[in-house]
Amino acid sequence: TRSIYWVEQRPTEGGRNVIVQRTPDGPTIDRTPAPFNARTRVHEYGGGSFTVSGGTLYFSDFVSQRLYRQAPGEAPEPLTPEGAWRYADGVVDPRRNRFICVREDHTEAGQEAVNTIVSLDLGSGEAQVLVSGNDFYAAPRLSPDGSQLAWMTWNHPNMPWDGSELWVGEIGNDGALEQTERVAGGVSESIFQPEWSPDGVLYFVSDRTEWWNMYRWREGRIEPLCAENAEFGRAQWVFGLSTYTFLSPSRIICCYTEQGTWRLASLDTQTRQLDDIDTPYTDVSSLHAGAGRVVLTAGSPTQATAIVQLDPDTHALTTLRRANDLNLDPGYISSPEPIEFPTAQGRTAHALYYPPTNRDHTASAGARPPLIVKSHGGPTSAALTTLNLGIQYWTSRGFAVLDVNYGGSTGYGRAYRQRLNGQWGIVDVEDCANGARYLVERGDVDGHRLAITGGSAGGYTTLCALTFHDTFSAGASHYGISDLEALAGETHKFESRYLDSLIGPYPEREDLYKARSPIHFTDRLSCPLILFQGLEDQVVPPNQAEMMAQALRDKGLPVAYVPFEGEQHGFRRAENIKRALDGELYFYSRIFQFELGAEVEPVVIEHMPPP
C-alpha cells in the first residue's frame, strides 16, 4: 500500500496551498510547513506544483518560485537557485537522478518569458535544457523503462485547446533527447494528457473528430480507442489535469462528459469496450491509480468536491477528504436543472438553472424571484454541476441563478467551443441575455429584477451585457475586463495572443477591440454596477475596474468599487471571499429594494438615490 497526496487551498491561512499526505494506515498529515505555499506561477494559473517519488516531495514555493525537495520527516530544502525562474509539471527520472519539468524563464527584463523542458540534477540542481524553441510546453512524461520522453507543445497564437502537438524523443546516454518526432496534433487539433501505459504504449486525448476522444500510438500508428460524441478532455488552463489512469495495460479508468454531466467509466484497451461505473457524482476529474485502487476528485449537486477512492473491482467508493465538512440540510440546497434554450442565429445554448430553495421560506402566490445570471470565466471553461456554495448563497436567499455555458464553453464539442472564435463579447453576451429571457418567458423569474455577474472573462461578459444590451437592470463584475486593448497590451505570456482567436489580431483589428470594449461606450450604460478587484492582479490590472467605476461616477449612476489589498486574479482569503458575496448581496438589496434577512456589512454605493 502507498500514501496518497493532494493539495489543499486554505483560505483561513491566507490562501496558502498545503500538500497533504494520507498514510497507508489512514491518518492525514500536512507535509508543507508554514510559510511555504505549494503553488507555481508558470502560465500564471499554475497547476502541477508538486510531485512525489519514494516519499520525497518536490514542490514549487509560491513566494520564491524556487523548486524545493522535502524528504520524509525533514524540512524543505531548495533544489534550484534564486532567480526569475518558475517550474511546473515535473516527473522524477530515477535512472538518471534528475527531475524533468517545464521551466519558465523570466530573467530577461522586458522580454517575453522563455518556456522550455529542462532536467534538474538532483545532486547539484544543475539545469539541462531538453526541449526548446516553441512558445509553450506541458506534460513531460517518461516511458516506464525511462528510455523515452513524451511532451506537449504549442505556439502563439494558439491556446492548448485550439491546436497543440504531441512529441516523443529517445533519451540518449548523455540524457539529451534524440530522434524526436511529432506523433499527433497541429494548429487545428488539440491534444490533452499524454500518458504511457504500464507496458510502454503512449496514450493521449485528441479532438481530431470534433470531440476530445482517446487514442494510442502503437508501432507508428494512431489507433482510436472509443469514438463517442463526448469529451474525454478538459481545457488545459492549468498543468496536471487528468481524465484517465491505468490500472493495467488492458484497463483504463476514465471520465467523460455529455451535456454538462461527467461520468466515470472503465475502458478495456483490447476490446475497446467502454462501461460506465455507477456513482452519485456529476463532476469527476484528477484520476490517478496505484496499488490496485483509483483516487479521483468528484462532486455532485448535493456534495462538495471530495477526494474519493474507488475499488475498481467492486466499484465501492470511499470519501477520503471533502473540500468542506459542512453537513447542509437538503432543504436549503438547490439542485440544477440542465436547460437548453434558443439563442441568436437559430442556435441552441446550454445552462444550469437553480431555483431559489430555502425550506424556511415560501414565496407568496404568483411571486417571481429575482434572477442572477452567472457568466463563467475563461471564457474557454465551463459551468459545472458540483455543489457550489457561492451559488447556494444566492438560492438560499431567494434568488434564482442561471449558470450559463454560453457558446465557447467546453464539454459540448469543438464546434460549440469555436462559436466564440472572433465573437467574444457577442455570442457569450447574447447567450446570457437569451437565457434570462427564456426563464422570464417560462414564468420562472421576475423580468424586472434580472442581474448578471461574473469574474475575469465572465466579468467582461457582464460589462458587455450591461453596456450593449438592456436585458439586465444590475450587475457585478469581479476583476472583469473593460478595455480589450489594455488587456492585449498588459496581460501575461500564456494569454497574450488568446485574443487573436477570440476577437482578431491586434493591432490589425484595433477597430474590433475598440468596438467591443465597454469602457468606450459608457454613455450606453444605464444601470447600477458593483466592481470587485484584487490590487495585485497581473491578469486584469486594477486600472480597468477603476476606469469603469469612474465612468459610472461621471454619469451619476449608482456604482460601488471594492478593492482588495494583497489579492490577485481571483480571491483566496476567506474574509475577502465573504466580503465580495455579502457586498454583492447588499448592493442588490438596495437596487432591487428588498429587506435583508440578516445584517451584512454595507458597501458604499455612490449616487444611490434615497429609498
Side-chain angles (χ1 to χ4, degrees):
T1 59
R2 289 188 278 179
S3 289
I4 299 166
Y5 301 81
W6 61 81
V7 171
E8 293 182 3
Q9 185 185 318
R10 305 267 177 86
T12 54
E13 296 182 32
R16 189 169 78 93
N17 281 9
V18 177
I19 300 168
V20 176
Q21 176 184 2
R22 180 186 172 95
T23 55
D25 51 356
T28 58
I29 54 173
D30 287 357
R31 285 289 302 269
T32 314
F36 287 101
N37 181 355
R39 183 177 159 211
T40 177
R41 286 186 61 187
V42 179
H43 295 176
E44 293 300 336
Y45 296 110
S49 62
F50 84 101
T51 192
V52 189
S53 179
T56 296
L57 295 181
Y58 300 86
F59 71 90
S60 172
D61 177 55
F62 181 66
V63 173
S64 68
Q65 285 300 296
R66 295 172 78 182
L67 200 63
Y68 280 79
R69 170 174 43 202
Q70 184 183 7
E74 296 183 14
E77 56 177 11
L79 180 61
T80 56
E82 291 181 358
W85 298 283
R86 305 172 181 180
Y87 307 89
D89 211 8
V91 59
V92 173
D93 180 359
R95 221 167 103 178
R96 301 167 186 89
N97 194 40
R98 62 182 184 170
F99 187 81
I100 299 174
C101 64
V102 176
R103 184 179 72 180
E104 195 171 77
D105 184 339
H106 292 257
T107 54
E108 290 292 326
Q111 299 291 314
E112 185 175 77
V114 176
N115 293 63
T116 54
I117 292 176
V118 299
S119 67
L120 304 167
D121 188 282
L122 292 179
S124 65
E126 183 182 344
Q128 175 188 9
V129 175
L130 299 179
V131 191
S132 63
N134 285 355
D135 293 319
F136 300 100
Y137 295 95
R141 299 292 180 258
L142 268 176
S143 61
D145 64 1
S147 68
Q148 293 175 286
L149 185 74
W151 67 91
M152 276 181 59
T153 182
W154 64 97
N155 284 304
H156 289 313
N158 269 343
M159 301 299 282
W161 49 83
D162 296 322
S164 46
E165 297 177 348
L166 172 60
W167 284 70
V168 170
E170 302 281 338
I171 302 176
N173 293 332
D174 60 354
L177 290 175
E178 304 171 348
Q179 299 175 317
T180 61
E181 65 174 304
R182 181 171 65 87
V183 170
V187 292
S188 57
E189 177 185 355
S190 170
I191 302 297
F192 176 83
Q193 197 193 341
E195 208 79 64
W196 297 92
S197 67
D199 57 345
V201 177
L202 183 59
Y203 286 67
F204 61 96
V205 172
S206 163
D207 69 352
R208 55 179 51 201
T209 61
E210 297 293 310
W211 297 88
W212 270 318
N213 281 186
M214 293 184 63
Y215 296 85
R216 67 179 163 220
W217 182 61
R218 195 161 60 170
E219 297 172 357
R221 291 196 323 275
I222 292 173
E223 302 173 352
L225 284 169
C226 56
E228 300 280 343
N229 287 352
E231 301 275 51
F232 289 77
R234 290 177 179 259
Q236 193 175 288
W237 279 102
V238 295
F239 294 97
L241 298 176
S242 169
T243 58
Y244 69 94
T245 187
F246 289 93
L247 272 174
S248 69
S250 62
R251 190 174 178 203
I252 289 173
I253 301 296
C254 58
C255 60
Y256 67 94
T257 182
E258 283 181 313
Q259 302 298 309
T261 297
W262 283 84
R263 294 177 174 83
L264 195 63
S266 176
L267 175 65
D268 187 312
T269 65
Q270 294 171 326
T271 65
R272 307 184 195 188
Q273 174 74 27
L274 183 73
D275 295 309
D276 281 359
I277 296 172
D278 188 34
T279 77
Y281 307 119
T282 56
D283 185 33
V284 183
S285 60
S286 302
L287 276 67
H288 296 275
R293 57 193 170 160
V294 177
V295 179
L296 50 108
T297 59
S300 76
T302 57
Q303 298 178 58
T305 300
I307 294 168
V308 175
Q309 183 172 294
L310 167 76
D311 182 315
D313 298 322
T314 66
H315 296 174
L317 298 161
T318 307
T319 299
L320 305 181
R321 184 83 133 195
R322 296 188 188 281
N324 62 64
D325 292 320
L326 297 173
N327 283 315
L328 297 177
D329 187 311
Y332 300 108
I333 296 177
S334 177
S335 285
E337 172 200 349
I339 65 169
E340 296 181 5
F341 56 90
T343 188
Q345 299 182 38
R347 292 169 163 169
T348 297
H350 301 271
L352 302 169
Y353 172 60
Y354 294 82
T357 306
N358 187 318
R359 68 171 202 186
D360 300 330
H361 298 277
T362 305
S364 53
R368 298 283 181 263
L371 174 70
I372 294 177
V373 170
K374 197 170 178 327
S375 172
H376 65 68
T380 309
S381 186
L384 300 173
T385 53
T386 308
L387 177 67
N388 182 332
L389 296 181
I391 289 175
Q392 303 299 324
Y393 177 95
W394 298 109
T395 55
S396 63
R397 286 164 173 80
F399 287 83
V401 173
L402 186 69
D403 205 356
V404 183
N405 272 323
Y406 48 78
S409 302
T410 52
Y412 303 92
R414 186 177 178 96
Y416 194 82
R417 206 163 70 236
Q418 291 185 322
R419 277 190 195 178
L420 212 54
N421 285 5
Q423 298 296 307
W424 192 32
I426 296 175
V427 163
D428 48 324
V429 179
E430 289 172 342
D431 289 356
C432 286
N434 285 320
R437 291 191 197 108
Y438 175 77
L439 291 178
V440 172
E441 290 164 9
R442 210 170 74 164
D444 291 286
V445 301
D446 182 348
H448 300 291
R449 293 187 295 167
L450 303 177
I452 182 168
T453 186
S456 188
Y460 169 67
T461 302
T462 292
L463 294 173
C464 284
L466 299 177
T467 304
F468 302 122
H469 291 249
D470 58 5
T471 304
F472 302 99
S473 46
S477 169
H478 298 250
Y479 42 93
I481 300 145
S482 60
D483 184 349
L484 291 173
E485 287 186 280
L487 183 70
E490 295 178 11
T491 197
H492 55 109
K493 178 184 178 181
F494 179 60
E495 291 185 85
S496 63
R497 301 288 300 280
Y498 187 21
L499 301 185
D500 285 29
S501 61
L502 293 175
I503 297 161
Y506 185 84
E508 294 90 332
R509 294 312 312 267
E510 182 182 348
D511 58 323
L512 288 179
Y513 282 72
K514 281 187 159 48
R516 293 196 208 154
S517 292
I519 196 67
H520 300 310
F521 300 94
T522 51
D523 57 309
R524 299 191 194 178
L525 259 173
S526 58
C527 72
L529 174 67
I530 186 168
L531 301 115
F532 301 91
Q533 179 68 42
L535 293 180
E536 293 181 20
D537 194 334
Q538 298 293 311
V539 180
V540 179
N543 64 334
Q544 298 221 12
E546 290 156 7
M547 288 190 295
M548 206 69 193
Q550 189 56 49
L552 274 97
R553 289 186 196 107
D554 294 344
K555 284 200 72 178
L557 284 169
V559 60
Y561 174 54
V562 185
F564 292 116
E565 291 277 356
E567 289 284 13
Q568 295 179 306
H569 195 63
F571 308 143
R572 290 173 174 264
R573 297 179 183 173
E575 64 272 19
N576 295 338
I577 295 168
K578 181 178 188 303
R579 175 70 172 138
L581 277 168
D582 287 347
E584 192 173 338
L585 175 64
Y586 177 83
F587 182 76
Y588 294 145
S589 76
R590 295 292 309 279
I591 302 304
F592 293 144
Q593 298 182 345
F594 60 82
E595 294 293 322
L596 290 170
E599 197 169 312
V600 299
E601 184 183 351
V603 293
V604 175
I605 307 174
E606 301 173 59
H607 301 298
M608 186 69 205

